[in-house]
């Protein structure tokens, strides 16, 4: 593939790449979204489906995206266009996804920022006194909830504007291991609380009678979201990888990092919810976007004097993970606009800021001024709609088009060679089978089932 531009930026080494990809992947998807989905969709059953999906389909798609990026030396739109102008639409479609996700990601980022600030201000027992009221009161507040969202957005756009990529990479090196240590520590503590082991059993032991179509549907959407797949980010990151770095080993490590953090977060929050709520049914019924914000403060409170500090550390680290992911999302939006509209970086940053501000405001209004809008049925919000459209509809479609394109239109041959330039490719045959047959069939089934469920053909 000819690259007419001057030499592209590149990672300083293979670990810089793995760390940057992991920092984009590890975020609210792991800490906030995964635990509540696991709690909702049958605990161990969901876990099993998720792990199998990640290590077959997820890793394959990750490898495909990185290889496509390195092979073409382009980010999403350019990578598809490199095979012919008529294929650019796949990249364009995938590129629209971060524009939806970032808007609601910043709303939740605002929630996390508020919690981190409240713990810093010593409000831990006040929150734990009435966690549900505190949470609801905050997200429905007509002024305060907006302020925290705007602050989160401002922090994200400031970093993107300063381009302090190096700074983020370095701090990741400290924060990521800290996050894992803390997650392990809190998990261990939670598991010693009375009733928690039942929760751990619910979380870890699959119950096949709970296996329903929606388990697969939810797990698939979560996989794309959490691994930052199907929206071009990993293609762009792959385009910065040098020809010596093993793509297979990198994909395995990124996936391992991502799933590791999810597993730990689930192991804390699901048993914690069990302690607080008492039964699997209650946990499943009460789990939704509020789980982390309503359940964990109670768990922290029961830790005695240490609770306030652990809670503070926890929310600060979640905030950090959310920021690094949001920064990678915003950075992607900026580069899409720069490439697509041929705008300067400054102009693109201003456009993204205005867009985020406007659309984020609408999403947040879904919890107060516009709360009468329930786009996905009673109790749902605009945020749920954005989440559904991006994770459950657009990402599967983007992944489907990518697999068909690579598997059937251009044929996987060139990408196989690209992967083999830097390492052995033991699972080559399985990879091709997944890309050509298994993934497309699976996505179509899941997509049809999901949309059918939303239109009420079967209940979720
Ligand atoms: N993977 C991130 C998370 O789990 C979210 C994200 C998606 C970030 C896509 C970048 C791109 O929170």
């Amino acid at each position: 593939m000819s690259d007419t531009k001057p030499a592209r930026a590149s990672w300083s080494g293979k670990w810089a790449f793995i760390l940057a990809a992991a920092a984009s992947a590890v975020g609210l998807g792991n800490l906030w979204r995964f635990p509540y989905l696991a709690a909702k969709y049958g605990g161990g059953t969901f876990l099993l489906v998720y792990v199998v999906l990640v290590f077959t389909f997820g890793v394959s798609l990750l490898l495909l995206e990185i290889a496509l990026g390195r092979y073409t030396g382009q980010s999403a739109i350019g990578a598809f266009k490199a095979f012919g102008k008529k294929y650019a639409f796949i990249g364009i479609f995938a590129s629209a996804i971060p524009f939806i996700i970032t808007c609601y990601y910043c709303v939740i980022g605002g929630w996390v920022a508020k919690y981190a600030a409240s713990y810093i201000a010593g409000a831990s027992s006040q929150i734990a006194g009435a966690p549900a009221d505190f949470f609801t009161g905050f997200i429905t507040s007509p002024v305060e909830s907006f302020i925290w969202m705007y602050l989160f957005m401002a922090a994200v756009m400031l970093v993107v504007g300063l381009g302090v990529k190096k700074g983020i990479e370095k701090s990741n090196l400290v924060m990521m291991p800290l996050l894992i240590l803390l997650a392990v520590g809190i998990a261990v503590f939670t598991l010693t609380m009375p009733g928690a082991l039942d929760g751990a059993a619910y979380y870890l032991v699959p119950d096949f009678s709970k296996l329903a179509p929606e388990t697969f549907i939810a797990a698939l959407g979560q996989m794309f979201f959490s691994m930052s797949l199907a929206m071009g980010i990993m293609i762009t990151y792959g385009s910065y990888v040098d020809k010596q770095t093993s793509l297979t080993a990198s994909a395995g490590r990124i996936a391992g990092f991502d799933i590791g953090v999810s597993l730990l977060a689930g192991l804390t929050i699901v048993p914690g919810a069990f302690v607080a709520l008492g039964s699997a049914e209650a946990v499943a019924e009460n789990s939704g976007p509020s789980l982390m914000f309503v359940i964990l403060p109670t768990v922290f409170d029961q830790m005695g004097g240490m609770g306030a500090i652990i809670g503070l550390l926890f929310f600060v680290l979640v905030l950090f993970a959310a920021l690094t992911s949001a920064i990678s999302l915003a950075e992607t939006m900026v580069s899409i606009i720069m490439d697509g509209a041929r705008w300067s970086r400054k102009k693109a940053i201003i456009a993204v800021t205005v867009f985020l501000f406007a659309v984020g405001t609408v999403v947040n209004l879904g919890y107060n001024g516009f709360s009468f809008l329930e786009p996905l049925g009673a109790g749902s919000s605009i945020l749920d709609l954005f989440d559904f459209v991006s994770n459950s509809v657009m990402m599967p479609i983007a992944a489907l088009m990518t697999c068909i394109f690579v598997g059937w239109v251009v044929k996987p041959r060139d990408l196989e060679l690209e992967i083999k330039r830097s390492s052995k490719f033991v699972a080559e045959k399985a990879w091709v089978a997944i890309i050509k047959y298994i993934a497309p069939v699976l996505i179509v089934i899941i997509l049809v089932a999901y949309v059918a469920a939303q239109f009420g053909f079967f209940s979720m």
Side-chain angles (χ1 to χ4, degrees):
M1 291 297 117
S2 68
D3 190 349
T4 47
K5 282 183 229 126
R8 271 181 90 78
S10 62
W11 305 108
S12 39
K14 91 175 182 216
W15 282 102
F17 160 58
I18 291 169
L19 203 69
S24 164
V26 174
L28 294 172
N30 311 66
L31 299 161
W32 159 75
R33 204 170 184 276
F34 177 84
Y36 89 70
L37 290 179
K40 185 168 171 185
Y41 293 109
T45 321
F46 180 85
L47 195 65
L48 182 71
V49 171
Y50 185 71
V51 171
V52 171
L53 276 180
V54 167
F55 283 110
T56 52
F57 185 19
V59 178
S60 300
L61 200 61
L62 180 59
L63 184 58
L64 184 160
E65 291 198 12
I66 299 171
L68 186 63
R70 190 172 76 173
Y71 177 64
T72 59
Q74 306 272 334
S75 49
I77 302 178
F80 288 99
K81 216 162 143 190
F83 297 93
K85 262 213 161 79
K86 58 179 183 288
Y87 300 122
F89 75 93
I90 306 177
I92 294 173
F93 182 82
S95 298
I97 298 172
F99 285 82
I100 301 175
I101 293 189
T102 317
C103 298
Y104 80 86
Y105 207 89
C106 288
V107 174
I108 300 158
W111 300 353
V112 176
K114 160 75 181 173
Y115 272 67
S118 303
Y119 272 90
I120 290 172
S124 75
S125 41
Q126 185 209 333
I127 299 174
D133 293 345
F134 183 88
F135 179 69
T136 315
F138 168 65
I139 66 168
T140 57
S141 61
V143 178
E144 207 201 345
S145 63
F146 288 88
I147 291 178
W148 286 104
M149 176 186 67
Y150 298 142
L151 282 175
F152 184 87
M153 286 175 180
V156 170
M157 294 316 297
L158 196 72
V159 174
V160 172
L162 291 173
V164 289
K165 197 153 161 287
K166 282 241 166 61
I168 305 175
E169 276 180 22
K170 287 231 175 67
S171 50
N172 278 336
L173 215 51
V174 181
M175 297 296 269
M176 287 294 175
L178 208 61
L179 185 80
I180 293 180
L181 271 182
L182 202 70
V184 173
I186 301 175
V188 169
F189 187 89
T190 310
L191 291 175
T192 61
M193 298 170 92
L197 288 180
D198 292 334
Y202 172 69
Y203 176 61
L204 294 171
V205 183
D207 168 358
F208 291 102
S209 68
K210 292 229 176 70
L211 212 56
E214 37 296 21
T215 317
F216 289 91
I217 295 158
L220 187 76
Q222 172 62 17
M223 182 193 85
F224 291 132
F225 184 82
S226 184
M227 296 177 76
S228 305
L229 291 175
M231 64 187 89
I233 291 192
M234 290 300 172
I235 300 180
T236 308
Y237 280 19
S239 73
Y240 306 146
V241 175
D242 66 43
K243 297 287 183 192
Q244 286 84 46
T245 299
S246 161
L247 302 186
T248 47
S250 303
R253 289 189 177 120
I254 296 164
F257 220 121
D258 190 59
I259 202 166
V261 176
S262 290
L263 292 180
L264 274 172
L267 193 59
T268 304
I269 295 179
V270 181
F274 234 83
V275 172
L277 300 167
S279 74
E281 289 70 33
V283 170
E285 247 165 56
N286 286 289
S287 46
S290 66
L291 193 64
M292 180 172 103
F293 300 97
V294 177
I295 296 300
L296 274 184
T298 320
V299 177
F300 294 141
D301 196 50
Q302 292 179 11
M303 293 179 177
M306 283 300 284
I309 296 164
I310 305 258
L312 185 157
L313 276 175
F314 180 82
F315 280 107
V316 168
L317 288 172
V318 176
L319 180 61
F320 186 81
L323 278 171
T324 57
S325 293
I327 289 163
S328 87
L329 279 162
E331 177 67 42
T332 308
M333 293 161 73
V334 168
S335 65
I336 288 167
I337 294 182
M338 283 169 66
D339 290 351
R342 307 230 164 273
W343 283 5
S344 69
R345 186 170 170 88
K346 197 170 154 201
K347 212 165 148 192
I349 288 178
I350 294 172
V352 168
T353 309
V354 171
F355 175 83
L356 268 184
F357 185 86
V359 185
T361 301
V362 173
V363 176
N364 204 39
L365 275 171
Y367 291 105
N368 37 65
F370 293 169
S371 62
F372 60 90
L373 291 175
E374 299 185 324
L376 298 178
S380 69
S381 62
I382 302 179
L383 189 146
D384 296 321
L385 176 71
F386 273 51
D387 186 273
F388 171 71
V389 169
S390 51
N391 292 287
S392 308
V393 181
M394 291 181 74
M395 283 152 100
I397 293 176
L400 178 65
M401 291 197 294
T402 307
C403 288
I404 292 178
F405 176 71
V406 170
W408 297 94
V409 181
V410 301
K411 306 282 187 309
R413 189 89 210 118
D414 289 340
L415 295 190
E416 288 170 73
L417 291 175
E418 181 66 39
I419 293 165
K420 286 197 280 193
R421 282 176 80 140
S422 44
S423 66
K424 283 221 253 359
F425 192 9
V426 187
E428 185 170 358
K429 289 222 169 66
W431 184 75
V432 173
I434 290 176
I435 300 302
K436 284 184 84 157
Y437 307 102
I438 302 174
V441 171
L442 201 75
I443 297 174
V444 169
I445 294 175
I446 290 178
L447 199 62
V448 169
Y450 210 157
V451 175
Q454 287 302 319
F455 285 102
F457 296 123
F458 66 82
S459 67
M460 297 282 293

